[in-house]
Amino acid sequence: MPGFSRLLFLGTCAAVILLAAPSPAQAQSNGEGTIYSRFGMGSLLEFSSSQSDAMGGGGYALRSLNYNPDANPALWSDQVFTRLSGSAAYRSTSVEDGQGNSGRLSSGNVQALQFNFPLYERSLGVGISFQPYSRSNYSATRTGQESIGPRQDAEARYETTFSGSGGLHRLRGGLGYRVNDMLSVGATADLLFGTLERRRRTTWAAPQLRNTIVSDGVQLSGLTSTLGGHLALADVFAEDDAFSIGASVTLPANLSGEQYRTLDEDLARDTLSTERGDVTLPWKGRLGLSYQPNARWTVVLDGAFEPWSTFSSDFSTGASETVPSRFPAGGPGTLADRWRLSTGAEVVPAGDDQLAGYFAQAAYRFGGYAERMYVRPDQETTLYEFALTAGISLPTSLSGTRIDLNTTAGTRGTTTNSLVRDRFFGVSLHVNFGERWFQRRKLR
Amino acid sequence: MPMSMRSSWLPALLVGGALLVSLTACSDSSDVGLGVGSGLQGGNPSTLDVTPDVRDTTVAPITGIRRDSAQGRPPAQSQNQNAWRFLVGSVDDPTPGTGVVTANGYLDFAGRDNLPEDLQNASPDALTAELRLTTDYLHGHSSGTMDVEVYDLTSEADMDSARATASFDAAPSPVSVNGAQINPSDSLVTIQLKASWITGNIGTLLRTGSDFEEAFSGFKIVAPNSEAVVGFSSSTAALRLRTVSSSNDTTTADYPSLKTFTHIERTGAGDPPPGYRLMQGGVGKGLAMEWAFRDSPLDTLESAPLNQANIFVPNDTSALETPSGFERPQPQGYRIIATRSSGAPSCPVVGSVTLSDANEACVLPLVPSAAPASALVPDDVARPTFRQSFQRVRDDQSPVFTTFRVHIADRENTAVNEAATVRPGLPTTLPVLVPVDGTEPGPPRATLTVTPL
């Protein structure tokens, strides 16, 4: 029933887009909830595809007809279906410090929207994606008391809440081209834009005292590009196996923008000062290996590197009260080179058997990663993040369409040196619609 | 997969996705993480007192009123007519600097709609006339009696909204009986008028309505050699005409008050006690305060978020010497009039009330219950005033108000609403000592709670 199928597909696509439309305001209001997102550009968000997300987050060499990994545009060359993917995630983070104090922050957010289609089947593909690049979301509160009134004979309790919101978004568009059976290449143009905002809200228990909100924000935008390559080899270690090597490089990005400090919020915002400036984000290199010994198993091993020590910013350092506080928080000295190692595996019990049971045709994935974080708040202690990932991919009656459910659990940071340790747990739902579009039907 | 299965996972999918996305950030924000890196600092509010430059100012207060409601007409002004008073007498308050304050009362009556026949038909010799006055204020020595004299005004007096420095011509000879006295501690006093006055004015007295008001100009009441100032209720003051028939039946007719006014003057004023400034009702002596926004500490607060602000002018009641037998009630209110800078926002923008566009004058509402201990400008007026001033100074403009003038504005009591504090106060002669230094109650000041940037 192709008419119904098309209708179902379009309707569901529209619904998912409406639900998941990652308007900057919505996306900025949610996040992972770690105090470390106060530093640098916020928490860097890695999402390539729901398949790689469950396999440690790499998958730079992972070819699949059902997914179009975003991290390596060379993989966009191998497309058959026009594909629309949407992802939403929920994450809960609990944090503790060296004194045993703890807090929790949870949030839901859109992970990515991706649209891919082949110009020439399995030869030249186009990819467009919109997803968060980084996100700032933290909250910490201090309480105190202050004597108020002309006689200062009344004590008023107040809370000072420090919070971060916003982040950068990345709009990516590019092409992947399959040069021959072994080699594919790709390139993208990436627009980074967004607003990072740090807020300090002083609220009083006594209603007659006016609350105060001071916001330091920075709006940035700029272009960069990602180049990728993919080498596919067959019969390498065994007959009918597939071995792939993928690599991509994102060029340094020069972002221009405006830093501001405001008082109050919404319509009552009073802009105390603004300042224009530039920041330069470092390049990023990715290298991945993928091995498929048979139709059931796929194993990946990936690494990424970003020299954040080369980050530069010419925004001022908050010399006076009205000048925005330093960006990034703590200065470039709080940034360190980042690397990330991940590995994962996927198993499809049914292999190529189209007649196997439903759950035998599902894909089961697991993986993990270790990351040296790019922020070093005290400029001394190197921080790491470790996590395990898992997921299940459910086939649907629509060929090329899968529903994925992923989960992740991990830890980051340390409780030494006045730092904190986060323990996070997340689940995410991914919808990958794929259908043949723009292709002439054969006459029967 | 059957069609039924397909149609069942779609709604579940959409609901699941929507649920994940709609989960807004929530937290049980704690102090965990405050010390990470350079630490999360600032945001600690602090409260500071900012004292203004203070000098004396004198503005004669309004002490006249026309009681339009006396004949059922709507009030022409929003003054507190029922509580209005006029003063008579003289007081030498022991508070240094107050001098001798003398008050002369002026009183005019409204015509009646009609007169009882017994009064119309009575001969002038059979009539008596008296002023009936309800006392509601006493400042001075309460013991003993007061000599009082009543004089005819020679022409119609424009008492309505007249200021205390005004005066109106009166006939040289009193119309009250010789040796008329009142006891200030009585709640109701009467002053008998001479029979000759009745005879001379019988034609006027028999008139009604506006005819009476046009023919009768009013009285001036003085209390020579008195040791106290007595206040009489304007609303209950009456001229009573009485006759007693042969059968001993008494017939009376009261002429209600129409206008009252108090002329107040001071002699022999000296300096207030060291460390104090004097505010004195009636003579209009008050304080003028100016805050220097371009000097420390206000110059450091131009951009600081303002959490609360008050303007506070204390009354050090403990500094007033009160001898035995001397009555001195505390004023039940104050009034602060601020002068706008050129180009400053209008009065309502900062929560005040326009008094005079021509004079760029605004009246600041006060906290009624703060009196008599202080004149207190509430946060909803003081905060926008200071906030707007900070913004203007930041933009190299003048603050919203250049000068704040504080005066005593007595009220019937402190149980009035905030809006009533912008009205002129009742006539009074009371003094208030305002400290210029010290800690308790401290000098006039603005108390600002700010959260430094």
Side-chain angles (χ1 to χ4, degrees), chain B residues 236-318:
Chain B
T236 59
L239 168 63
R240 172 166 291 185
L241 202 59
R242 177 194 290 119
T243 185
V244 179
S245 68
S246 55
S247 58
N248 240 7
D249 292 334
T250 301
T251 304
T252 61
D254 285 353
Y255 297 80
S257 70
L258 177 64
K259 297 181 284 187
T260 68
F261 166 70
T262 305
H263 169 80
I264 299 174
E265 59 187 35
R266 182 177 66 164
T267 57
D271 293 329
Y276 290 95
R277 285 190 181 272
L278 176 69
M279 291 202 294
Q280 196 169 9
V283 298
K285 190 167 165 50
L287 303 183
M289 306 184 294
E290 293 178 5
W291 274 273
F293 280 83
R294 290 187 169 81
D295 296 338
S296 178
L298 291 181
D299 63 340
T300 64
L301 303 175
E302 287 176 2
S303 303
L306 197 53
N307 303 116
Q308 190 183 48
N310 293 109
I311 296 173
F312 180 72
V313 181
N315 168 13
D316 190 354
T317 54
S318 65

Side-chain angles (χ1 to χ4, degrees), chain A residues 383-396:
Chain A
L383 300 174
Y384 294 92
E385 178 175 322
F386 304 97
L388 296 175
T389 62
I392 182 170
S393 178
L394 303 173
T396 69

Side-chain angles (χ1 to χ4, degrees), chain A residues 1 4-5 8 12 15-16 19-20 26 29-31 35-36 38-39 88-90 95-97 101-110 137-142 146-152 158 160-162 200 202 204 208-212 214 261 263-264 268 270-272 321-322 330 358 377-378 395-398 401 403 418-420 427-431 433, chain B residues 1-3 5-7 9-10 12-49 299-315 370 373-374 376-377 379-380 383 387 391 394 439-442 445-453:
Chain A
M1 194 181 288
F4 175 80
S5 170
L8 194 64
T12 310
V16 168
L19 280 175
Q26 183 190 39
S29 67
N30 302 318
I35 194 70
Y36 296 120
R38 175 181 162 229
F39 299 90
Y90 168 82
V95 53
E96 65 172 352
D97 62 13
N101 303 312
S102 62
R104 178 179 296 276
L105 199 147
S106 55
S107 60
N109 64 281
V110 173
N137 185 16
Y138 61 88
S139 181
T141 300
R142 183 178 58 223
E146 176 64 16
S147 301
I148 60 167
R151 298 181 187 277
Q152 299 191 23
Y158 67 87
T160 303
T161 300
F162 302 87
R200 193 187 68 207
T202 302
W204 298 85
Q208 71 268 25
L209 280 106
R210 183 172 162 274
N211 300 332
T212 298
V214 179
R261 169 163 273 206
L263 193 58
D264 293 334
D270 177 15
T271 302
L272 301 177
E321 277 193 339
T322 55
Y358 179 75
D378 64 356
T396 69
S397 60
L398 298 175
T401 296
I403 310 298
S418 300
L419 298 170
V420 297
V427 293
S428 55
L429 178 67
H430 309 263
V431 185
F433 293 99
Chain B
M1 185 181 290
M3 191 66 67
M5 281 188 68
R6 178 194 300 160
S7 56
W9 60 253
L10 262 175
L13 186 66
L14 294 175
V15 170
L19 190 64
L20 287 178
V21 173
S22 64
L23 286 170
T24 55
C26 58
S27 68
D28 58 349
S29 186
S30 66
D31 60 355
V32 181
L34 284 171
V36 171
S38 55
L40 292 161
Q41 295 159 349
N44 292 337
S46 62
T47 300
L48 69 162
D49 291 329
D299 63 340
T300 64
L301 303 175
E302 287 176 2
S303 303
L306 197 53
N307 303 116
Q308 190 183 48
N310 293 109
I311 296 173
F312 180 72
V313 181
N315 168 13
S374 66
L376 179 64
V377 181
D379 176 65
D380 58 352
R383 183 156 46 84
R387 187 174 177 207
Q391 287 179 353
R394 208 169 70 206
T439 56
E440 184 56 39
R445 57 193 180 268
T447 303
L448 309 177
T449 300
V450 298
T451 305
L453 290 172

Side-chain angles (χ1 to χ4, degrees), chain B residues 69-92:
Chain B
S69 60
Q71 291 199 331
R73 287 171 255 166
Q77 56 191 41
S78 59
Q79 292 168 336
N80 191 357
Q81 296 197 6
N82 288 332
W84 202 259
R85 65 170 79 111
F86 64 97
L87 308 177
V88 176
S90 182
V91 60
D92 183 6

Side-chain angles (χ1 to χ4, degrees), chain B residues 19-310:
Chain B
L19 190 64
L20 287 178
V21 173
S22 64
L23 286 170
T24 55
C26 58
S27 68
D28 58 349
S29 186
S30 66
D31 60 355
V32 181
L34 284 171
V36 171
S38 55
L40 292 161
Q41 295 159 349
N44 292 337
S46 62
T47 300
L48 69 162
D49 291 329
V50 187
T51 54
D53 294 328
V54 181
R55 57 182 167 80
D56 293 332
T57 183
T58 302
V59 179
I62 291 172
T63 54
I65 189 175
R66 180 184 176 93
R67 296 199 66 257
D68 284 348
S69 60
Q71 291 199 331
R73 287 171 255 166
Q77 56 191 41
S78 59
Q79 292 168 336
N80 191 357
Q81 296 197 6
N82 288 332
W84 202 259
R85 65 170 79 111
F86 64 97
L87 308 177
V88 176
S90 182
V91 60
D92 183 6
D93 194 291
T95 305
T98 54
V100 177
V101 176
T102 301
N104 298 328
Y106 292 78
L107 181 61
D108 195 3
F109 295 100
R112 290 175 56 86
D113 293 336
N114 53 61
L115 271 178
E117 278 191 15
D118 288 349
L119 289 173
Q120 291 183 44
N121 298 331
S123 75
D125 297 340
L127 294 171
T128 60
E130 64 184 20
L131 297 180
R132 297 174 66 80
L133 307 173
T134 306
T135 56
D136 63 0
Y137 173 91
L138 176 61
H139 177 201
H141 291 282
S142 57
S143 59
T145 57
M146 272 175 63
D147 294 337
V148 291
E149 295 173 351
V150 180
Y151 295 86
D152 260 332
L153 296 184
T154 55
S155 59
E156 189 65 28
D158 187 10
M159 301 181 198
D160 187 13
S161 299
R163 293 188 179 273
T165 48
S167 63
F168 304 104
D169 293 336
S173 300
V175 299
S176 53
V177 296
N178 294 333
Q181 288 185 323
I182 62 170
N183 189 338
S185 57
D186 290 347
S187 59
L188 175 68
V189 300
T190 59
I191 305 172
Q192 203 74 27
L193 301 184
K194 289 178 178 174
S196 60
W197 181 82
I198 300 172
T199 305
N201 291 276
I202 188 63
T204 302
L205 290 170
L206 295 180
R207 294 183 186 184
T208 56
S210 58
D211 288 345
F212 172 85
E213 292 166 16
E214 288 171 9
F216 181 71
S217 300
F219 294 129
K220 173 185 178 181
I221 306 174
V222 301
N225 307 316
S226 63
E227 293 185 320
V229 170
V230 181
F232 303 110
S233 166
S234 297
S235 59
T236 59
L239 168 63
R240 172 166 291 185
L241 202 59
R242 177 194 290 119
T243 185
V244 179
S245 68
S246 55
S247 58
N248 240 7
D249 292 334
T250 301
T251 304
T252 61
D254 285 353
Y255 297 80
S257 70
L258 177 64
K259 297 181 284 187
T260 68
F261 166 70
T262 305
H263 169 80
I264 299 174
E265 59 187 35
R266 182 177 66 164
T267 57
D271 293 329
Y276 290 95
R277 285 190 181 272
L278 176 69
M279 291 202 294
Q280 196 169 9
V283 298
K285 190 167 165 50
L287 303 183
M289 306 184 294
E290 293 178 5
W291 274 273
F293 280 83
R294 290 187 169 81
D295 296 338
S296 178
L298 291 181
D299 63 340
T300 64
L301 303 175
E302 287 176 2
S303 303
L306 197 53
N307 303 116
Q308 190 183 48
N310 293 109

